Amino acid sequence: MVDHEVDTAAGTAVVDAHVIDRRSASSDGVLARVRNGLDELTGALRRVADHVLSDPEAAARSTIVELAERSGTSPATITRFCRAMGFEGYADLRLGIAAETGRARSAGWTVDIGREIQPNDPLARVLDQIMAADTRAMHDTAALLDLGEVERAAVAIAGASRVNIFGASGSALVGEEMQFSLHRIGVAAWAWSDVHEGLASAALLGVGDVALGISHTGQTRETIEMLAEAGSRGATTLALTGFPRSPLAELADIVLLTASQATTFRPDALSARHPQLVVLDLLYIAVAQRTHDRAHAAFRRTAQAVDGHKAAKGSLS
């Protein structure tokens, strides 16, 4: 049964113009855009999104009337949903989903995605599901990532006097990896997970410095506070998050987006780790490219410094 009530002004979510501006009308990453936009949709538009994500191949085969009936909405709501996702109309959305699901099927990304891992599943099946989910998350991240923003972030870090990296819990581990990478090429970088130490360090930043906040949800209060403090002192602020309208993203000068593909025992925040590391690795390489001579010399010296602690071949029995 079609629910016509949701087409009233009170029942239909209003999508902020800034959200639409952030999206591309390309067919790449359609489902990733839908997943990342879920928190921005309510009511009828949210029901359409949930239905598309639950069975994208069926959605690609459906007419606009069929999709409206199956999602309990109306054709007018489907049209609004298409525009919210950056498409002119339903035909473009269908083509985008069909192209993406076709690529996923040929690449094997759809294997077990969305299926719950059962306690008695053999490890071979678990491995297949993890690999499929991570592969899909990587490709979704590549589709979402704005390389222009990566370029801006790399230029800022390459010219920074000091780089502070903020994160809590699992995001702190990702931040420490980035700090280590930057330090190896001569970038003065520090990673902070304790909010008191992080705030004290952020207060000493200024114009020409960079602060990076890492949080998949973009709602970790401590990370938000540390990044806000850094920004108030004039530092360029970067956010690595999965949600473009999150509080962390809203206060950052530059936003780098990642996608995730949750599985049993691996919720979104945990499944986002690999895509986060990939984006930061890209950023690190971009910084190294822009500081090539300094980075190459620093990396050579740091490698030589620790070389003596590597076990010689044949020395271990």
Side-chain angles (χ1 to χ4, degrees):
M1 179 179 178
V2 178
D3 183 359
H4 293 287
E5 182 181 353
V6 297
D7 292 327
T8 64
T12 300
V14 177
V15 180
D16 191 288
H18 292 92
V19 177
I20 297 175
D21 288 344
R22 282 182 178 270
R23 294 186 174 121
S24 162
S26 164
S27 64
D28 291 338
V30 177
L31 300 178
R33 277 186 275 152
V34 175
R35 275 190 292 271
N36 273 44
L38 278 179
D39 286 351
E40 301 154 13
L41 304 175
T42 59
L45 295 183
R46 177 60 183 259
R47 292 211 297 279
V48 175
D50 288 339
H51 185 78
V52 168
L53 292 175
S54 68
D55 194 347
E57 291 190 2
R61 293 192 301 267
S62 301
T63 66
I64 189 170
V65 173
E66 290 171 340
L67 183 58
E69 290 177 346
R70 291 168 183 169
S71 60
T73 60
S74 72
T77 300
I78 304 299
T79 299
R80 280 195 292 274
F81 174 78
C82 295
R83 290 172 181 166
M85 293 299 109
F87 291 91
E88 290 295 324
Y90 184 57
D92 292 333
L93 177 69
R94 282 183 67 186
L95 287 173
I97 296 174
E100 188 169 344
T101 54
R103 288 193 300 269
R105 186 166 53 254
S106 64
W109 307 341
T110 57
V111 176
D112 283 342
I113 289 182
R115 174 190 177 276
E116 291 294 317
I117 297 175
Q118 302 302 322
N120 59 347
D121 278 349
L123 287 180
R125 182 182 291 275
V126 175
L127 176 60
D128 285 344
Q129 183 166 350
I130 291 173
M131 291 294 292
D134 281 356
T135 301
R136 183 57 178 269
M138 297 291 190
H139 282 270
D140 284 351
T141 295
L144 287 171
L145 192 61
D146 185 338
L147 294 181
E149 292 287 88
V150 176
E151 174 80 26
R152 290 180 59 207
V155 170
I157 292 175
S161 301
R162 178 186 178 103
V163 177
N164 269 8
I165 304 170
F166 307 121
S169 189
S171 294
L173 299 177
V174 175
E176 289 173 4
E177 183 73 19
M178 183 60 169
Q179 184 271 334
F180 174 75
S181 296
L182 291 175
H183 202 260
R184 287 291 301 271
I185 60 172
V187 176
W190 288 261
W192 305 99
S193 57
D194 181 88
V195 67
H196 296 280
E197 295 176 350
L199 285 172
S201 184
L204 298 177
L205 297 180
V207 176
D209 295 324
V210 171
L212 166 63
I214 304 173
S215 170
H216 173 63
T217 64
Q219 298 181 18
T220 304
R221 187 178 66 183
E222 294 84 353
T223 304
I224 293 170
E225 289 178 358
M226 291 185 284
L227 196 67
E229 177 66 27
S232 72
R233 303 294 177 174
T236 299
T237 53
L238 320 179
L240 179 67
T241 181
F243 295 86
R245 301 297 290 171
S246 63
L248 186 71
E250 290 287 350
L251 66 84
D253 298 314
I254 300 171
V255 179
L256 306 178
L257 290 177
T258 61
S260 64
Q261 185 72 52
T263 61
T264 311
F265 309 120
R266 295 173 75 222
D268 279 343
L270 184 58
S271 63
R273 295 291 174 260
H274 290 160
Q276 286 175 338
L277 288 169
V278 167
V279 172
L280 290 181
D281 196 29
L282 174 64
L283 178 58
Y284 156 70
I285 294 297
V287 173
Q289 287 177 318
R290 284 151 186 78
T291 59
H292 180 270
D293 292 343
R294 183 184 75 185
H296 182 72
F299 194 85
R300 186 177 62 252
R301 290 198 300 271
T302 55
Q304 290 172 345
V306 301
D307 191 59
H309 288 269
K310 296 179 180 178
K313 291 182 179 179
S315 65
L316 299 178
S317 58

